[in-house]
Amino acid sequence: MEGSQPPARSVFGVDPLDEFTVFVSDWIWERTRGLSNVEIEAKVGTLIDRHTNMRLQLPVFTETVVDTRALGVRFESNVPMKQHRSFNQLLNELVQYSASMDESQRVSYKHVRETDAFYDEHLPTGESVHLRVTRDSQTQQIKPGGVVAKKRIDDLNIFCPMRMYDYRISISTETPMPRPPENSTPTFVRDKDRLSYSLQSFQVDLTQVTLPNREQQPVHELEVEIRQADELLRWAQYTRASGESQEEWTQFEDHILVLLNNVRLLIRNANSYPREGDGQQ
């Protein structure tokens, strides 16, 4: 190599923008404009071909956004219990490793047990809403902000052929609501045993979900959520209103890249445990 100078980034002197991150950022921005109480999360799982009931196979070699409807594919968010334990151990080690670091670099940990009850109610306007009421499993007290109407906005599914798992980015709104009448009967109840690991603007949740009074194996989920997503979207609104082009890299794109990197690194640290229910031993 000529001399000791680092190579020029390109003949143009710059790196091209990360097209994948820009695509995901634009997808999120276009679907959240004008919304409030937004939740943005990425969930680890497997894309399943509905025809074979096996993991999706495509003639691609790297991370790829896919159209699940066109392909006849569904997303399953359940990971094996052994994998759940492995992620738990990994994240606990990160908590210990970061304990001596500057406070802004420490991974914090929280363990909560909650019960969600879902209700189908009608507003005075006649509109139907699907309410979720979250209680502390031990005290049965409704948690602060624990009554919301959750509405799914859209999903983006990403196939990772070189890895054990795929992932799905979901956008929802969680609008605070008054609690349902005392005589209301929930349509569905679930218990959540959740381990949360937080660093700066992101939270990793390891959750075991069980359904009371049902003979069903617990579901184990892993997801990464953007904390205070509304604040991030306000920043995106500001940068675009100030004339910054969508062809420029801003803090909004940078936060979405960190979201993607958190999910990617979790997936890359996954072990080769068989998917539950796939017939493997």
Side-chain angles (χ1 to χ4, degrees):
M1 302 298 290
E2 185 177 340
S4 59
Q5 294 293 323
R9 305 313 302 166
S10 67
V11 294
F12 299 96
V14 296
D15 288 317
L17 293 182
D18 180 341
E19 190 173 57
F20 191 96
T21 302
V22 170
F23 175 85
V24 175
S25 300
D26 289 347
W27 177 84
I28 291 173
W29 169 246
E30 290 166 2
R31 283 153 180 79
T32 56
R33 294 178 66 178
L35 300 180
S36 57
N37 303 301
V38 173
E39 178 189 65
I40 302 170
E41 64 183 15
K43 188 166 289 188
V44 173
T46 312
L47 287 167
I48 303 296
D49 188 319
R50 294 181 183 274
H51 300 98
T52 65
N53 204 36
M54 301 292 288
R55 190 182 182 192
L56 175 66
Q57 294 187 359
L58 290 176
V60 297
F61 296 100
T62 59
E63 183 182 59
T64 306
V65 177
V66 297
D67 184 336
T68 54
R69 292 184 180 178
L71 293 173
V73 172
R74 70 177 185 273
F75 182 83
E76 290 188 358
S77 59
N78 194 15
V79 300
M81 183 171 62
K82 288 183 178 179
Q83 183 63 76
H84 186 271
R85 290 174 179 166
S86 179
F87 280 132
N88 183 17
Q89 180 179 354
L90 171 66
L91 291 164
N92 285 342
E93 290 173 356
L94 290 176
V95 172
Q96 296 173 3
Y97 176 77
S98 66
S100 60
M101 295 182 177
D102 182 80
E103 186 174 357
S104 65
Q105 300 298 319
R106 293 177 198 161
V107 178
S108 62
Y109 162 85
K110 182 171 63 174
H111 187 182
V112 297
R113 293 180 175 87
E114 299 173 335
T115 300
D116 288 336
F118 296 88
Y119 300 81
D120 290 326
E121 298 292 332
H122 290 86
L123 300 178
T125 60
E127 179 185 0
S128 296
V129 293
H130 190 56
L131 296 183
R132 185 189 69 204
V133 179
T134 301
R135 290 179 167 85
D136 182 290
S137 294
Q138 184 174 4
T139 66
Q140 287 301 302
Q141 295 296 312
I142 296 178
K143 305 200 75 172
V147 183
V148 299
K150 183 164 184 173
K151 181 180 180 181
R152 178 64 59 86
I153 304 301
D154 208 350
D155 297 315
L156 191 68
N157 292 276
I158 294 92
F159 177 51
C160 304
M162 299 293 291
R163 305 296 171 186
M164 286 295 300
Y165 295 100
D166 311 304
Y167 62 100
R168 179 183 67 191
I169 300 173
S170 297
I171 300 172
S172 304
T173 57
E174 294 190 342
T175 306
M177 299 289 289
R179 62 186 299 174
E182 292 293 340
N183 60 353
S184 295
T185 301
T187 59
F188 178 67
V189 177
R190 69 183 181 190
D191 291 326
K192 297 183 302 188
D193 188 343
R194 172 167 288 172
L195 305 168
S196 294
Y197 302 83
S198 301
L199 175 63
Q200 298 177 356
S201 299
F202 299 89
Q203 179 171 305
V204 179
D205 289 331
L206 268 175
T207 309
Q208 177 176 278
V209 180
T210 56
L211 306 179
N213 304 318
R214 294 195 186 185
E215 294 183 2
Q216 185 172 336
Q217 291 295 321
V219 173
H220 299 92
E221 297 180 340
L222 172 63
E223 62 190 24
V224 182
E225 182 177 347
I226 298 179
R227 305 166 72 189
Q228 299 176 325
D230 280 354
E231 183 176 332
L232 175 62
L233 294 172
R234 281 193 293 271
W235 176 259
Q237 170 67 35
Y238 170 77
T239 58
R240 282 160 170 74
S242 64
E244 292 191 38
S245 168
Q246 287 180 276
E247 296 300 320
E248 297 179 14
W249 192 266
T250 70
Q251 287 194 32
F252 178 58
E253 284 79 16
D254 211 42
H255 272 73
I256 302 306
L257 175 59
V258 176
L259 170 68
L260 295 173
N261 286 345
N262 277 313
V263 182
R264 289 163 172 164
L265 288 170
L266 285 166
I267 290 175
R268 292 182 189 189
N269 279 279
N271 297 310
S272 300
Y273 297 117
R275 183 172 61 89
E276 293 172 353
D278 65 0
Q280 299 183 48
Q281 299 296 319

